[in-house]
Amino acid sequence: MSASTRDLVGIIINRTSRTWRTKLDERLSHLGLTQARWLVLMHLSRMDGKALQKDLAVSVGVEGPTLVRVLDGLERMGLVERVGVEGDRRARRICLTPKADSVINDILNIGTKLRAEALTGISDADLEVFYRVMEVILANLLAPSAK
């Protein structure tokens, strides 16, 4: 029995995503970075190196307690620091430390090499179509469902 491409698209998206993350984790392991840690660093980097802890949790897509454990590890590594927010005793701003700059550069360089390997043999035109299709799939998944 043969399945159509439409039936298999979710499986290939999932396998590709998992494999990409696994390969990146392997290549970043020498830096002491798990997926959770490098994701937080990259999100913080894209947020100009600082963000309220609650905003960072939303950006990364994790619950507060999960983020706290990741931040504990990054703080022990000297890559982030937590700073109190004036006027709100409970809020914390998470800031990248100067030490994080070289680690983020390493992440970017390793990620660039992996991306080049993964996209070998794919034309720019095919990649543009693929990207547009993935944007539509994501938008469809994020849209309120019509139950």
Side-chain angles (χ1 to χ4, degrees), residues 74-90:
L74 290 171
E75 198 168 38
R76 280 192 301 275
M77 294 173 77
L79 300 175
V80 301
E81 61 183 359
R82 295 173 172 120
V83 179
V85 175
E86 192 174 322
D88 188 344
R89 293 181 306 130
R90 295 179 302 160

Side-chain angles (χ1 to χ4, degrees), residues 32-34 36-38 40-41 44 53 56 66-84 92-100 103:
L33 296 175
T34 61
R37 287 179 180 175
W38 63 255
V40 167
L41 289 175
L44 259 179
Q53 187 168 315
L56 181 58
T66 301
L67 181 61
V68 167
R69 288 189 296 276
V70 174
L71 291 174
D72 287 344
L74 290 171
E75 198 168 38
R76 280 192 301 275
M77 294 173 77
L79 300 175
V80 301
E81 61 183 359
R82 295 173 172 120
V83 179
R92 294 283 175 259
R93 185 174 319 281
I94 310 304
C95 302
L96 292 173
T97 65
K99 181 179 178 182
V103 173

Side-chain angles (χ1 to χ4, degrees), residues 14-132:
N14 182 278
R15 279 190 67 202
T16 303
S17 175
R18 277 195 343 238
T19 302
W20 195 308
R21 282 192 317 262
T22 299
K23 293 280 186 183
L24 191 52
D25 280 350
E26 289 169 1
R27 294 176 188 202
L28 294 174
S29 65
H30 72 282
L31 298 171
L33 296 175
T34 61
Q35 180 184 141
R37 287 179 180 175
W38 63 255
L39 271 174
V40 167
L41 289 175
M42 294 314 298
H43 278 263
L44 259 179
S45 175
R46 290 184 182 123
M47 299 169 95
D48 295 325
K50 59 184 178 295
L52 292 177
Q53 187 168 315
K54 64 180 180 156
D55 295 338
L56 181 58
V58 169
S59 179
V60 175
V62 297
E63 297 294 322
T66 301
L67 181 61
V68 167
R69 288 189 296 276
V70 174
L71 291 174
D72 287 344
L74 290 171
E75 198 168 38
R76 280 192 301 275
M77 294 173 77
L79 300 175
V80 301
E81 61 183 359
R82 295 173 172 120
V83 179
V85 175
E86 192 174 322
D88 188 344
R89 293 181 306 130
R90 295 179 302 160
R92 294 283 175 259
R93 185 174 319 281
I94 310 304
C95 302
L96 292 173
T97 65
K99 181 179 178 182
D101 291 343
S102 66
V103 173
I104 289 169
N105 265 346
D106 289 345
I107 295 169
L108 291 171
N109 289 333
I110 291 167
T112 297
K113 288 177 186 169
L114 178 60
R115 184 173 48 255
E117 291 171 25
L119 300 180
T120 296
I122 301 171
S123 72
D124 288 347
D126 284 346
L127 197 53
E128 286 290 332
V129 171
F130 168 77
Y131 189 82
R132 284 195 310 272

